[in-house]
Amino acid sequence: MKKFYITTPIYYVNDKAHCGHAYTTIAADVFARYHRLIGDKTFFLTGLDEHGQKVSQAAEKSGKSPQGFCDKQAESFKKAWQQLNISNNGFLRTTDKEHEKAVQKVLQILWDKKFIYKGQYQGLYCVECEQYKTKNQLINGKCPEHQKEPEIMSEECYFFKLSQFQKELLDKIINNIFIIEPESRKNEMISFFKNEKLQDVSISRKNVQWGISLPFDKSHTCYVWLDAFLNYLTGLCWEGDSKKLPDLWPPDVQLMAKDILRVHSTIWPGILLALGISLPKKLFIHGFFTINGQKMSKSLGNVIWPEQMVDKFGVDGTRYLLISSLSYGKDGDISWQKLTEKYNADLANGLGNLVGRVIGLSQKIGLQPVTAPNAAGKIRIKDLDKLFQEFKLKEILDEVWKQINWADKFIEKKKLWDLVKTNPEQAKKDLSELLGLISEIGKAITPFLPETSEKISQILKTGKIQALFPRV
Ligand code: MSP
């Protein structure tokens, strides 16, 4: 039996889940469901990044203790994922005691092996990113992600000897031992490794209380990113021993957007190399949503929240709309207007209407869907497996929707509503083919729209029509 281990980033708990987080989580869910269907031993991990300055500042603002604040936020994320029918197997919070213990073990090992040393750091720190920035990374002196000037920080801290892994990491990326997809993202990292000298990274903070303390110097807490990366191991109940790795290790794919590609292809594999642990097989990097052409941000007041989408479009409607809004490796722009139009065109008038129409016509000539001769379907939707291997989720949906459009045209061309009266024998043949196609569409969309797939299978079995996607 093949195994399939997939992860999402663990999200910061300073705010609740927005549609960008929901996109990554739904995409991972689609892969996990697909791999379960093809019989792989599948584990899907997601979770929350709860330590660090950004979270403790948010807690302070809300008047709660950091732990109390995190607990409340964790409930809100869990609720959001339940609502979106996310089938994660693990949910790792970095404040879990077992995780904290394993992180401390790792820190001790890295210290004992002399991969960590004490030094003095001076740099520009963006609290929003929880990262030091180099001057080249800033635009007009500001962090391009957050439009904020980073703070100058100077502090005694501990460093991890990342610089020594430059060549090894570059080789592994070039030779696809550590795969980065799409190709453009791989090339971006190759040129980074070729043009910039990898620096040692600071892995501790003296002034941040809300974190895991270093076992060899309790006056420091662990840098939030190092703590966070280890979730991918502790989420499988790993206890910190590099000789005792979980069976599911390494991740087959780690899903994320481009904002955190750099850290995931430098610090993260660097730590693993230092520990002598095999690297993830693949990072898959997707694009970013913008809203009406603008960065999604609370201060601009343009954030689209998943629960608002679920209220309007239903669970499967939301899953469909988010997945089909990002083409392979590209950014995508969304707005309420575009989402509503797409929902009505593809789901209400598209899939929903097709199913209703075909079942309705079949009933007119007494064709029992379940006994229709072609109900098993001819394989029209080709290469789904290949598209899944290539992470082309929107492209799979496009393939399926081509068949829906084909079926609509077929009904129009054949004037099936007349044919059931004038030539019931021919109508029976045509409708059988359409029922077969619907059954096949129902199967193809299972990982994307699990509830709709189940409903279609029920409709085909019982012949009872139920509205799939009411117009909005
Ligand atoms: N806590 C870190 C990750 C640590 S992983 C060891 C973090 N958290 S985050 O809450 O900022 O989440 C970033 C991720 O959320 C992105 O990589 C992406 O998966 C998702 N997205 C956040 N905004 C997004 C968009 N506007 N569009 C698409 N995905 C987005 O970074």
Side-chain angles (χ1 to χ4, degrees):
M1 198 188 207
K2 266 174 79 178
K3 64 115 189 151
F4 183 76
Y5 174 35
I6 184 165
T7 67
T8 71
I10 49 170
Y11 308 110
Y12 289 126
V13 289
N14 59 310
D15 208 344
K16 57 182 190 170
H18 61 54
C19 67
H21 306 127
Y23 173 84
T24 316
T25 313
I26 296 169
D29 186 61
V30 173
F31 286 116
R33 285 176 184 271
Y34 167 75
H35 280 272
R36 286 187 202 111
L37 279 173
I38 62 170
D40 291 347
K41 183 180 174 199
T42 302
F43 196 93
F44 164 19
L45 178 70
T46 187
L48 299 174
D49 197 349
E50 303 189 359
H51 289 127
Q53 214 165 338
K54 182 166 157 143
V55 172
S56 75
Q57 282 174 356
E60 209 170 299
K61 247 195 200 160
S62 80
K64 289 203 158 54
S65 70
Q67 189 63 59
F69 175 75
C70 290
D71 291 346
K72 182 177 138 272
Q73 292 300 94
E75 282 317 304
S76 135
F77 271 88
K78 278 189 185 158
K79 209 174 126 209
W81 300 156
Q82 267 162 16
Q83 193 181 30
L84 288 168
N85 207 354
I86 300 299
S87 66
N88 55 306
N89 303 97
F91 189 84
L92 188 283
R93 299 178 53 188
T94 54
T95 52
D96 287 349
K97 290 291 157 266
E98 300 306 314
H99 169 84
E100 294 187 349
K101 262 198 239 159
V103 172
Q104 287 198 319
K105 260 196 195 164
V106 165
L107 287 162
Q108 189 65 50
I109 294 169
L110 294 174
W111 175 250
D112 292 344
K113 286 181 149 182
K114 310 231 177 319
F115 281 112
I116 291 178
Y117 63 91
K118 195 172 186 175
Q120 187 75 24
Y121 198 92
Q122 195 174 24
L124 297 162
Y125 193 76
C126 172
V127 177
E128 298 295 317
C129 292
E130 294 278 17
Q131 283 177 42
Y132 277 106
K133 296 277 158 179
T134 60
K135 285 232 169 78
N136 318 344
Q137 283 176 302
L138 305 179
I139 296 176
N140 299 328
K142 290 183 178 164
C143 162
E145 288 289 325
H146 298 101
Q147 301 300 325
K148 266 195 186 164
E149 281 183 23
E151 296 168 17
I152 298 174
M153 292 229 287
S154 170
E155 53 179 343
E156 170 199 285
C157 70
Y158 290 86
F159 285 90
F160 170 62
K161 289 185 183 167
L162 181 61
S163 57
Q164 73 185 72
F165 297 110
Q166 177 139 9
K167 187 173 173 316
E168 200 173 344
L169 285 173
L170 176 60
D171 285 348
K172 286 193 156 50
I173 293 172
I174 289 179
N175 296 315
N176 285 335
I177 293 166
F178 179 48
I179 301 172
I180 299 175
E181 280 182 7
E183 187 81 8
S184 56
R185 297 289 168 200
K186 170 181 170 179
N187 292 337
E188 181 183 320
M189 284 319 299
I190 292 178
S191 79
F192 167 80
F193 276 106
K194 285 189 171 160
N195 297 323
E196 289 192 38
K197 201 178 149 357
L198 202 55
Q199 306 288 328
D200 288 349
V201 333
S202 146
I203 53 104
S204 77
R205 297 279 180 273
K206 212 170 176 151
N207 306 319
V208 179
Q209 307 294 319
W210 182 236
I212 300 174
S213 56
L214 301 190
F216 45 87
D217 184 345
K218 296 272 189 294
S219 67
H220 284 250
T221 55
C222 175
Y223 176 41
V224 61
W225 272 98
L226 194 155
D227 169 3
F229 285 131
L230 292 169
N231 96 86
Y232 299 133
L233 279 152
T234 57
L236 298 176
C237 300
W238 181 66
E239 289 175 1
D241 182 346
S242 43
K243 301 260 156 12
K244 281 196 211 142
L245 289 175
D247 292 343
L248 284 150
W249 191 260
D252 294 84
V253 54
Q254 302 206 278
L255 220 55
M256 68 199 73
K258 57 184 183 177
D259 54 339
I260 54 177
L261 163 65
R262 171 99 53 108
V263 279
H264 273 85
S265 35
T266 52
I267 311 178
W268 168 225
I271 296 164
L272 292 173
L273 290 177
L275 292 169
I277 295 178
S278 54
L279 302 191
K281 291 189 197 153
K282 189 182 285 183
L283 305 184
F284 184 79
I285 313 302
H286 64 75
F288 245 59
F289 283 123
T290 50
I291 314 263
N292 279 316
Q294 281 181 311
K295 193 183 151 69
M296 186 166 41
S297 93
K298 248 191 154 176
S299 50
L300 290 173
N302 64 355
V303 180
I304 293 184
W305 306 100
E307 68 265 24
Q308 290 177 305
M309 287 186 71
V310 171
D311 278 349
K312 184 161 183 188
F313 306 120
V315 175
D316 279 0
T318 303
R319 293 172 63 104
Y320 176 82
L321 291 171
L322 287 178
I323 293 296
S324 58
S325 295
L326 287 188
S327 294
Y328 179 74
K330 300 230 170 72
D331 291 340
D333 191 53
I334 56 175
S335 66
W336 280 107
Q337 193 190 336
K338 279 191 208 167
L339 293 170
T340 306
E341 281 167 10
K342 196 158 172 64
Y343 172 90
N344 282 328
D346 292 4
L347 296 173
N349 301 335
L351 179 58
N353 187 47
L354 175 70
V355 173
R357 233 175 150 188
V358 171
I359 299 288
L361 289 169
S362 302
Q363 283 172 344
K364 284 211 170 116
I365 48 168
L367 185 65
Q368 269 300 320
V370 72
T371 54
N374 281 347
K378 294 181 193 160
I379 303 296
R380 281 172 176 276
I381 307 163
K382 289 210 185 87
D383 289 339
L384 284 197
D385 292 306
K386 184 166 169 281
L387 290 171
F388 265 111
Q389 302 310 328
E390 294 170 351
F391 297 92
K392 297 197 166 143
L393 294 186
K394 174 189 186 318
E395 291 70 12
I396 295 175
L397 292 177
D398 289 348
E399 277 303 308
V400 175
W401 259 258
K402 266 188 214 158
Q403 293 305 319
I404 295 175
N405 291 334
W406 174 88
D408 281 340
K409 290 212 184 88
F410 181 79
I411 295 173
E412 295 296 318
K413 198 178 85 196
K414 291 256 178 166
K415 297 203 169 56
L416 275 187
W417 58 94
D418 282 341
L419 210 63
V420 290
K421 291 178 222 146
T422 56
N423 187 349
E425 271 319 299
Q426 183 58 41
K428 220 173 220 179
K429 270 196 199 150
D430 291 342
L431 283 165
S432 295
E433 183 170 349
L434 288 173
L435 288 168
L437 180 63
I438 287 176
S439 150
E440 201 182 326
I441 288 171
K443 282 184 213 147
I445 61 172
T446 310
F448 297 87
L449 313 179
E451 280 177 359
T452 306
S453 165
E454 183 52 37
K455 279 187 196 160
I456 290 178
S457 134
Q458 283 306 317
I459 293 173
L460 287 175
K461 261 189 215 136
T462 60
K464 280 199 197 107
I465 305 177
Q466 49 168 313
L468 293 176
F469 298 102
R471 276 188 193 81
V472 294

